[in-house]
Amino acid sequence: MANKVEAMAGTKPQDPKSSDPSLFDDISSFNFSLKSLKLKTKQQEFLIRVTILCLVYVLAFSTRLFSVLRYESMIHEFDPYFNYRTTLYLTEKGFYEFWNWFDSESWYPLGRIIGGTLYPGLMVTAALIYWGLRFLRFAVHIREVCVLTAPFFASNTTIVAYFFGKEVWDTGAGLVAAAFIAICPGYISRSVAGSYDNEGVAIFALLFTFYLFVKAVNTGSLSWALASAFGYFYMVSAWGGYVFIINLIPLYVLVLLVTGRYSMRLYIAYSCMYVVGMLLAMQIRFVGFQHVQSGEHMAAMGVFFLLQVFYFLNWVKHLLSGTKLFETFLRITVTSAISVGILALGVGSASGYISPWTGRFYSLLDPTYAKDHIPIIASVSEHQPTAWSSFMFDFHILLFLFPAGLYFCFKRLSDGTIFIVMYGLTSMYFAGVMVRLILVATPAVCLISAIAVSATIKNLTSLLRSKSKVHSGSVKGSTSGKASSKASVDQTLPFQRNAAIALLLGAFYLLSRYVIHCTWVTSEAYSSPSIVLAARGAHGNRIIFDDYREAYYWLRQNTPPDAKVMSWWDYGYQITAMGNRTVIVDNNTWNNTHIATVGRAMSSYEDEAYEIMQSLDVDYVLVVFGGVTGYSSDDINKFLWMVRIGGGVFPIIKEPDYLVNGEYRVDKGAAPKMLNCLMYKLCYYRFGELRTEYGKPPGYDRARGVEIGNKDVKLEYLEEAFTTSNWIVRIYKVKPPIIGGEFSNSLSFLPLD
Amino acid sequence: MAMKLKLINALFFSLISSLSFFLGSSSVGIHDGLRITNAERRVENKGVSSMSEVILGFSPVEIDHLALLKAAVPGGTKKKITYTSLDVNPKLPDGPNGTKYFSITLLNPLKAGEAVTLEVLYILTESLEPFPSEISQSESQLVYYRDSAVILSPYHVEQQTTFIRTPSTRVESYTNVEPTNRAGLELKYGPYIDQSPHSFSPIIVHFENNNPFVVVKELVREIEISHWGSIQVKEHYMVAHAGARLKGAFSRLDYQSRPSANGVASFKQLLARLPPRVSSVYYRDEIGNISSSHLRLDFKKSELEIEPRYPLFGGWRSTFIIGYRVPLEDFLYESTDGSRRYLNFTFGCPMMETVVNKLTIKVVLPEGSKNPTVVAPLTLEQHLEIKYSYLDVIGRPVVVLTKRNVVPEHISPFEVVYDFNPAFMLAEPLILVSVFFVFFLACIAYLHGDLSIQKYKTS
């Protein structure tokens, strides 16, 4: 073996990348065994590549563990708790029970068909990992698996990014793309350990599907197209964002058609991927026939038929010899095809067979749509239009490298680069519309920036190398023609080498700043579980506010198992997962009227609210209040949306009743309805007696920096059941009705004097 | 068999006819939820035949709550009294009205006319009934204590006095059975002279008791032995406040601003006494870590002070898990020939001053250990289980010990003896090594395959 390597190295001295043969001989004369370990250049390159990829893989995983180190191995935020709860159910009861699960613990009294209203990809993935590890006798807890699923898939994404970069550009770009995406804050924000959400696996699935499709287009191979269909199936099973794929790929096919890049490869790739992908996607209950019926999926079908017509025309063109005849045929075919398409679409939409676009889809295309029509979408902070600063925060230097990468892509147009450009541009638009869609744009931005970085550095280093090669070449006499031409360029630009060095240094500085920025953002901004709040004390010590879990655990242990808890929908998933109690509304938000009913109860007077709560069998009411700690995302600050959503369905709630000069206030100048509505009373019950800050009057609300307006809150129909140690969560018990009539009736029997 | 039973019966009846029971004093200390009774009995044999055992009687209600029963003979000089413990065994058949008997076997048979002083300690759990059964946050807790002024005994009792010690001076009411008097914390019933056998005179004492009624409904301790140097202990607690239930609202404001007047009957802290040299201590529950705990390490013991997520008022419950690791050499010993191992661990609940309704101890032995036997000073239910942990192929044998009604007095060492072949220690590292070996082999094979393809291409 050693001899073979030596022989092969010896036979290719002209390989410019191979090491200096004289040096090689020197070493061999000293130590034969060392020479035998010496690898070929190609092997060296492979080894380096694999090492870098392994390091990137580990880095992508470990950089997401800040939250575990800072806090603990726990599930974060809101939606992940639902996913965790369903995964737990899946691992305990098995797949069929999970698939047919009717959950009566949420959306009381309606319930929710879990199996038919979720994307099961994430849960099934985690359960499979869990069962696999159990089978291999790793006694892990399902929670650990769930916590680490997102980092694990982020690591896998880096590998896909590498192959994708390799496919559209070269291995260098692939490596840079892998490194970029491993630490890009835009992606980390959704994939830190504990962020057990659909996006965690979906970004992997998205990029994987795209990669496989590009590969299929480049090779024209049926197997790659089939693989991309399966990738698409996985994506559909994991996240609603699959709509992006099923619209981007047709758009890409259309662009290729229009630009005259139609090929048999494209035909095979798209036809196979669409048909198989569609059939597979329809197996997901939540998607089902939407895939052929809803407006969002029509573009893909249209392009599919267009492609068939195109193929048919090509075939006819091949058969018909006369151009004139073909042109007539073309005209007839195109006209009839378009008219049939439009007719089918028209009849389909008119008859209701094809459903119109959903509000969420509209709000993607038109950022102002949600604000006017669907307050429930607009109320979520991650659905807000993106601010400039968050682009900078999430992409840092990639934002500047992106246009440069686009330039390189346009310079070397191929089917692959066209795809990546289209992906980049469309996803950038969507990222501008909604904050959370920065996530979708991140892989594209990383890939395109990686192309820019890789191409630039490659150019610069080749400049450096060509110069040195001139010197060494003159000694050895083996200068290639390319190098000599570069050398002639060198003479025309005397400072080229220095400039290249300076630019390289600049590039490395920028890249190192990127790494520092990413690490800082990850550790400071994206690693907070938001269930446990941490603050710095006066002496620099860390204070932990664990009030959420305190309250949920209290609910879990000390309330009847069938108790119904009413709270704003944000906390629904957490209450069912951690508190194990039935909730009225939760983060699924599938029934706007139900949420509006809760919003109405919260914004009504206590007696009116009591009637609503009685009709919903509410036993406990949970509110989140930050007035003592200065925690600003509490229910008083969310109250605006409760009024707005409640008022959207029940006109009895009028937003101006709660406003004074167009703003929400809680101090003395607040609107009287505001001071006496249920939410205000529950948040500020007995708060007027509490002194929160030295030198301030009692009842000083630290979250809003005002002294509250109604310090003498009396509750008639509810009583305080539990308040957490920092007052962040307050739970009230709804008193049972007095037998023989309602409160108001019984009061009327009292003598009036 | 029948013959023998008859004999015992005969003996029993003769004892009743010929023995009178002299009882010096019995004092009842009342302590959170449990009642500890220390009875000093002086037994004099006034019969003709000698007697080797003394019978104790308990009512059926007491039997249900009886956690511990011990008897001892005080001896030695006056300055230094030594106690010699005696065997106590249940005795059949039952007496009138469901009275259960226990017999104390004396060291030397008591001859006619001789007397002996016995000290009997028995602990009853859950024999205080909160009344009123629901109190509001600011009220203090009042409880009923039910007992008999005269001791239930199959013997003729010559003289008997009962002292009841209450935790505070506030006593609402008590049954008067002359002579009864009360001074400070102590309530004295008696002395009663010449009580006939099986006499019973019920009394009720109603007094304030704000001691936290910490009851561990269920405790599962899992002790996992690793011969690589540590013992991992994991304890699942299900704690409840068994006192008067909280009525009405819980006001955090009152609880925070006036802690002395509000929530006196609640508790928010528990203290666990752990072995010395513990490490990797954790305190969590089903939904994550609980950050409010303090660990104090000492040479003799470690103390873990934990706060449940919320203060526990009457009727409230909480569950949590405590886990820690202790060095192996402190608890595991090897026999001289090296084949047998002895695990010496403490039985009981590490949480101070608590009653455990059901205690389960699971000793997870290393994979490959055989013939586990348990040596314990108490009678325990036991059975074997198999547990699969990391990289286990045949599973680890688990010795499961169960006992109901465990009180702090039960804390005592117990021993698990098992055979273990040290070669089993290498099983798991070998599995790992072979997996990595196969992985690298596969890599080498893959790379070489790759090479050959390239060679064909170039040639």
Side-chain angles (χ1 to χ4, degrees):
Chain A
M1 179 59 224
N3 292 330
K4 271 185 207 162
V5 170
E6 190 195 0
M8 283 183 70
T11 52
K12 292 199 285 180
Q14 70 274 21
D15 189 346
K17 276 178 187 168
S18 78
S19 57
D20 198 342
S22 61
L23 190 73
F24 196 58
D25 286 338
D26 277 1
I27 294 171
S28 71
S29 60
F30 284 125
N31 191 343
F32 183 78
S33 66
L34 217 141
K35 190 186 75 183
S36 66
L37 285 173
K38 186 85 183 168
L39 296 166
K40 278 189 301 174
T41 318
K42 210 143 201 183
Q43 285 175 315
Q44 279 179 339
E45 199 256 334
F46 179 76
L47 191 67
I48 291 172
R49 216 167 354 128
V50 168
T51 315
I52 290 175
L53 268 183
C54 286
L55 287 177
V56 166
Y57 194 88
V58 172
L59 172 72
F61 191 83
S62 52
T63 193
R64 285 165 169 80
L65 299 181
F66 269 111
S67 58
V68 173
L69 298 180
R70 288 269 166 83
Y71 296 89
E72 58 180 279
S73 167
M74 67 184 290
I75 307 287
H76 291 189
E77 296 194 320
F78 305 103
D79 287 18
Y81 269 97
F82 169 74
N83 301 329
Y84 175 58
R85 177 167 162 249
T86 46
T87 312
L88 209 62
Y89 191 89
L90 171 62
T91 51
E92 280 168 5
K93 304 258 170 99
F95 187 74
Y96 283 97
E97 283 285 312
F98 170 71
W99 203 232
N100 297 320
W101 183 15
F102 178 79
D103 178 24
S104 56
E105 281 202 355
S106 56
W107 293 94
Y108 184 85
L110 307 171
R112 176 182 171 190
I113 304 156
I114 297 278
T117 57
L118 53 44
Y119 293 102
L122 177 73
M123 298 91 193
V124 173
T125 307
L128 285 178
I129 295 174
Y130 174 70
W131 287 325
L133 287 175
R134 281 265 156 181
F135 178 73
L136 295 174
R137 294 271 184 265
F138 284 97
V140 289
H141 192 272
I142 180 68
R143 187 190 59 248
E144 313 296 337
V145 176
C146 292
V147 164
L148 296 179
T149 299
F152 173 63
F153 272 87
S155 290
N156 295 341
T157 310
T158 62
I159 303 296
V160 176
Y162 163 72
F163 282 108
F164 205 165
K166 192 180 160 194
E167 189 64 32
V168 298
W169 200 259
D170 59 9
T171 50
L175 283 180
V176 178
F180 273 161
I181 206 163
I183 54 171
C184 184
Y187 185 23
I188 286 182
S189 68
R190 291 273 159 175
S191 62
V192 292
S195 175
Y196 179 57
D197 211 345
N198 293 334
E199 289 95 325
V201 297
I203 291 304
F204 164 77
L206 180 91
L207 203 61
F208 197 48
T209 312
F210 283 157
Y211 162 66
L212 291 171
F213 186 71
V214 169
K215 189 94 184 168
V217 170
N218 280 349
T219 56
S221 140
L222 206 56
S223 58
W224 285 113
L226 208 60
S228 83
F230 276 97
Y232 176 65
F233 171 60
Y234 186 56
M235 177 69 188
V236 175
S237 76
W239 194 34
Y242 77 90
V243 176
F244 180 62
I245 297 185
I246 205 63
N247 282 296
L248 179 66
I249 286 182
L251 193 66
Y252 166 65
V253 173
L254 202 65
V255 166
L256 286 191
L257 282 184
V258 168
T259 52
R261 283 175 164 269
Y262 170 79
S263 63
M264 214 40 212
R265 293 177 282 117
L266 182 70
Y267 177 77
I268 291 170
Y270 186 70
S271 301
C272 173
M273 188 267 172
Y274 178 69
V275 173
V276 179
M278 177 180 70
L279 289 176
L280 286 171
M282 284 164 76
Q283 309 309 310
I284 304 296
R285 273 171 74 193
F286 196 25
V287 177
F289 280 97
Q290 270 184 44
H291 213 281
V292 286
Q293 286 187 349
S294 90
E296 285 122 56
H297 302 82
M298 281 302 121
M301 194 184 270
V303 169
F304 175 70
F305 285 122
L306 191 68
L307 210 59
Q308 307 311 316
V309 171
F310 212 86
Y311 181 73
F312 177 67
L313 285 176
N314 272 358
W315 180 65
V316 170
K317 192 180 177 182
H318 177 70
L319 286 185
L320 293 177
S321 49
T323 16
K324 191 109 187 187
L325 201 62
F326 176 68
E327 267 176 19
T328 328
F329 181 75
L330 183 73
R331 207 172 300 133
I332 294 167
T333 324
V334 167
T335 325
S336 57
I338 289 176
S339 49
V340 162
I342 289 175
L343 199 71
L345 201 68
V347 168
S349 349
S351 64
Y353 186 74
I354 298 172
S355 60
W357 289 353
T358 58
R360 274 169 199 262
F361 201 71
Y362 269 121
S363 62
L364 271 182
L365 300 178
D366 175 11
T368 57
Y369 179 84
K371 207 173 171 187
D372 300 334
H373 296 91
I374 329 166
I376 206 152
I377 289 181
S379 75
V380 181
S381 64
E382 61 183 18
H383 289 165
Q384 304 301 321
T386 318
W388 254 112
S389 55
S390 49
F391 271 115
M392 198 56 212
F393 200 65
D394 280 355
F395 290 140
H396 200 240
I397 61 161
L398 303 186
L399 209 56
F400 306 110
L401 292 173
F402 182 65
L406 286 182
Y407 163 75
F408 280 108
C409 288
F410 276 113
K411 220 175 131 190
R412 202 177 98 180
L413 270 186
S414 67
D415 289 355
T417 47
I418 289 177
F419 181 83
I420 198 77
V421 165
M422 288 189 56
Y423 175 25
L425 291 178
T426 48
S427 61
M428 262 316 222
Y429 171 73
F430 291 129
V433 174
M434 264 193 201
V435 179
R436 67 188 289 198
L437 293 180
I438 281 188
L439 178 71
V440 177
T442 304
V445 171
C446 286
L447 276 164
I448 293 173
S449 307
I451 288 172
V453 169
S454 172
T456 312
I457 290 182
K458 208 165 188 179
N459 285 348
L460 291 175
T461 45
S462 69
L463 281 182
L464 286 182
R465 279 189 158 217
S466 64
K467 185 104 181 181
S468 58
K469 212 161 268 170
V470 173
H471 294 300
S472 62
S474 61
V475 178
K476 285 201 290 176
S478 66
T479 316
S480 66
K482 205 178 171 185
S484 63
S485 69
K486 278 269 163 77
S488 61
V489 176
D490 274 7
Q491 278 141 21
T492 56
L493 295 167
F495 295 112
Q496 188 164 350
R497 186 156 186 256
N498 295 340
I501 291 174
L503 282 174
L504 266 182
L505 287 177
F508 283 121
Y509 174 73
L510 273 182
L511 291 176
S512 57
R513 291 307 305 177
Y514 173 70
V515 173
I516 292 167
H517 172 81
C518 290
T519 314
W520 175 77
V521 168
T522 309
S523 81
E524 294 298 317
Y526 290 143
S527 294
S528 165
S530 87
I531 294 285
V532 183
L533 311 165
R536 293 258 164 238
H539 308 289
N541 53 328
R542 197 149 164 266
I543 305 170
I544 290 210
F545 299 121
D546 204 357
D547 287 40
Y548 279 108
R549 287 194 292 185
E550 182 181 341
Y552 297 145
Y553 212 63
W554 183 85
L555 275 178
R556 189 189 184 107
Q557 297 287 338
N558 299 311
T559 56
D562 60 344
K564 285 103 199 161
V565 184
M566 182 173 91
S567 72
W568 190 232
W569 60 266
D570 293 19
Y571 315 108
Y573 279 164
Q574 293 179 349
I575 294 172
T576 37
M578 284 194 271
N580 200 16
R581 291 294 174 267
T582 308
V583 292
I584 307 295
V585 291
D586 67 24
N587 310 43
N588 187 233
T589 65
W590 64 274
N591 189 329
N592 191 35
T593 314
H594 218 49
I595 292 179
T597 311
V598 172
R600 183 185 168 187
M602 292 295 192
S603 41
S604 303
Y605 291 127
E606 199 188 342
D607 49 349
E608 295 161 4
Y610 184 69
E611 275 176 32
I612 297 171
M613 291 189 292
Q614 283 296 310
S615 69
L616 288 172
D617 286 354
V618 174
D619 298 306
Y620 291 90
V621 184
L622 181 146
V623 293
V624 171
F625 171 61
V628 177
T629 47
Y631 172 58
S632 60
S633 55
D634 66 349
D635 277 351
I636 290 285
N637 283 354
K638 286 174 184 168
F639 187 57
L640 145 90
W641 293 107
M642 300 183 204
V643 172
R644 219 170 261 176
I645 292 170
V649 176
F650 302 102
I652 197 168
I653 304 292
K654 293 180 192 68
E655 200 179 346
D657 292 351
Y658 300 87
L659 299 174
V660 176
N661 298 329
E663 60 174 329
Y664 279 90
R665 300 175 64 163
V666 295
D667 58 355
K668 280 205 164 56
K673 180 124 198 203
M674 178 78 190
L675 291 180
N676 288 298
C677 69
L678 185 71
M679 177 52 76
Y680 189 94
K681 279 184 154 186
L682 296 186
C683 283
Y684 291 119
Y685 178 64
R686 297 199 71 183
F687 181 68
E689 300 165 45
L690 185 76
R691 200 174 279 275
T692 52
E693 216 168 296
Y694 185 73
K696 292 279 197 286
Y700 177 76
D701 185 331
R702 293 178 68 190
R704 283 151 287 271
V706 290
E707 187 185 345
I708 58 165
N710 182 1
K711 286 192 187 176
D712 187 33
V713 177
K714 290 267 183 297
L715 288 174
E716 201 181 335
Y717 302 99
L718 294 110
E719 66 180 10
E720 190 178 359
F722 187 72
T723 298
T724 56
S725 47
N726 297 303
W727 292 54
I728 289 178
V729 184
R730 309 194 70 181
I731 301 170
Y732 292 85
K733 187 175 178 10
V734 180
K735 287 183 187 165
I738 289 176
I739 303 202
E742 289 177 35
F743 271 90
S744 50
N745 294 351
S746 61
L747 281 177
S748 62
F749 294 129
L750 293 175
L752 299 163
D753 47 17
Chain B
M1 191 66 215
M3 190 60 201
K4 199 176 177 188
L5 201 75
K6 222 174 186 175
L7 203 83
I8 291 168
N9 267 344
L11 184 72
F12 176 70
F13 284 116
S14 75
L15 276 175
I16 284 181
S17 59
S18 61
L19 249 158
S20 64
F21 198 162
F22 176 77
L23 206 128
S25 68
S26 98
S27 70
V28 182
I30 287 160
H31 178 75
D32 33 297
L34 8 138
R35 167 193 138 187
I36 299 172
T37 305
N38 240 319
E40 208 175 76
R41 294 164 193 228
R42 188 177 152 79
V43 185
E44 197 178 345
N45 191 350
K46 289 190 173 172
V48 276
S49 58
S50 71
M51 176 188 85
S52 63
E53 53 180 19
V54 177
I55 312 287
L56 301 174
F58 289 97
S59 71
V61 183
E62 284 176 321
I63 281 294
D64 289 343
H65 300 291
L66 184 71
L68 184 83
L69 174 61
K70 273 184 184 171
V73 186
T77 57
K78 266 216 165 164
K79 272 190 181 171
K80 195 182 174 190
I81 300 170
T82 53
Y83 290 96
T84 320
S85 60
L86 302 171
D87 279 353
V88 184
N89 293 307
K91 191 174 168 73
L92 289 169
D94 297 349
N97 298 326
T99 309
K100 301 267 185 201
Y101 291 118
F102 286 86
S103 74
I104 302 171
T105 315
L106 296 175
L107 291 175
N108 307 309
L110 207 59
K111 295 194 184 77
E114 275 184 350
V116 66
T117 307
L118 294 176
E119 251 183 52
V120 177
L121 167 78
Y122 61 95
I123 297 173
L124 303 176
T125 58
E126 292 177 2
S127 39
L128 296 179
E129 181 202 340
F131 190 87
S133 60
E134 285 191 334
I135 54 169
S136 71
Q137 189 183 344
S138 55
E139 285 175 302
S140 61
Q141 179 173 267
L142 299 172
V143 293
Y144 273 147
Y145 170 64
R146 291 189 171 82
D147 199 357
S148 164
V150 293
I151 198 145
L152 184 68
S153 170
Y155 304 115
H156 180 84
V157 181
E158 276 187 358
Q159 189 191 357
Q160 188 227 325
T161 319
T162 302
F163 295 97
I164 294 174
R165 190 182 295 270
T166 56
S168 73
T169 49
R170 187 176 162 199
V171 176
E172 295 284 303
S173 66
Y174 56 90
T175 315
N176 206 349
V177 185
E178 280 305 327
T180 305
N181 55 50
R182 191 184 145 221
L185 294 174
E186 221 164 50
L187 198 59
K188 183 181 174 192
Y189 282 94
Y192 303 107
I193 315 286
D194 281 336
Q195 296 286 325
S196 56
H198 294 114
S199 47
F200 196 79
S201 124
I203 52 166
I204 289 183
V205 188
H206 192 201
F207 58 95
E208 182 191 58
N209 187 350
N210 279 324
N211 286 324
F213 278 43
V214 189
V215 173
V216 180
K217 295 269 179 204
E218 198 174 343
L219 168 61
V220 180
R221 301 182 75 193
E222 200 174 276
I223 299 159
E224 193 166 334
I225 302 164
S226 160
H227 279 235
W228 289 96
S230 69
I231 295 177
Q232 187 77 42
V233 185
K234 193 176 180 185
E235 296 166 351
H236 301 254
Y237 288 88
M238 196 187 283
V239 174
H241 188 302
R245 302 181 65 84
L246 177 70
K247 179 177 70 183
F250 161 66
S251 167
R252 177 65 73 169
L253 181 75
D254 292 337
Y255 185 74
Q256 274 173 345
S257 55
R258 289 175 287 275
S260 58
N262 271 284
V264 278
S266 72
F267 65 93
K268 63 170 187 177
Q269 227 173 26
L270 292 165
L271 190 71
R273 186 161 287 176
L274 306 180
R277 304 217 286 158
V278 290
S279 58
S280 316
V281 181
Y282 60 87
Y283 169 44
R284 54 176 301 134
D285 59 23
E286 289 142 293
I287 60 170
N289 276 354
I290 310 171
S291 47
S292 46
S293 62
H294 303 280
L295 179 68
R296 283 188 294 268
L297 290 170
D298 201 334
F299 288 112
K300 285 183 181 160
K301 61 181 187 301
S302 312
E303 278 182 336
L304 180 68
E305 200 179 275
I306 57 170
E307 282 178 28
R309 286 191 188 272
Y310 40 85
L312 268 84
F313 281 84
W316 288 14
R317 296 182 304 144
S318 189
T319 58
F320 53 85
I321 299 167
I322 292 175
Y324 50 91
R325 179 182 298 182
V326 284
L328 186 73
E329 63 266 25
D330 292 7
F331 297 94
L332 195 80
Y333 306 97
E334 206 175 308
S335 67
T336 43
D337 63 336
S339 64
R340 285 185 84 69
R341 311 288 162 122
Y342 302 88
L343 172 81
N344 239 320
F345 216 79
T346 320
F347 183 87
C349 171
M351 210 61 77
M352 308 266 283
E353 294 170 357
T354 50
V355 182
V356 184
N357 288 355
K358 188 186 174 193
L359 171 67
T360 310
I361 293 192
K362 295 183 176 179
V363 182
V364 184
L365 303 174
E367 207 177 11
S369 42
K370 288 187 186 71
N371 309 326
T373 46
V374 181
V375 184
L378 310 151
T379 48
L380 304 167
E381 288 171 45
Q382 50 175 290
H383 65 273
L384 279 179
E385 275 176 10
I386 295 285
K387 185 195 169 183
Y388 291 95
S389 186
Y390 284 95
L391 300 175
D392 283 351
V393 183
I394 52 171
R396 307 180 181 202
V398 184
V399 182
V400 185
L401 307 169
T402 321
K403 183 165 170 54
R404 290 183 179 277
N405 262 346
V406 179
V407 290
E409 278 72 12
H410 280 126
I411 293 177
S412 54
F414 73 102
E415 202 168 64
V416 178
V417 189
Y418 59 95
D419 293 339
F420 184 72
N421 185 354
F424 274 102
M425 281 170 73
L426 294 175
E428 282 165 17
L430 280 178
I431 290 173
L432 282 180
V433 165
S434 51
V435 165
F436 275 99
F437 185 68
V438 168
F439 175 71
F440 286 132
L441 267 187
C443 281
I444 289 170
Y446 171 74
L447 284 183
H448 278 244
D450 197 43
L451 257 180
S452 67
I453 288 164
Q454 276 182 349
K455 205 167 75 181
Y456 284 121
K457 266 184 192 167
T458 47
S459 64

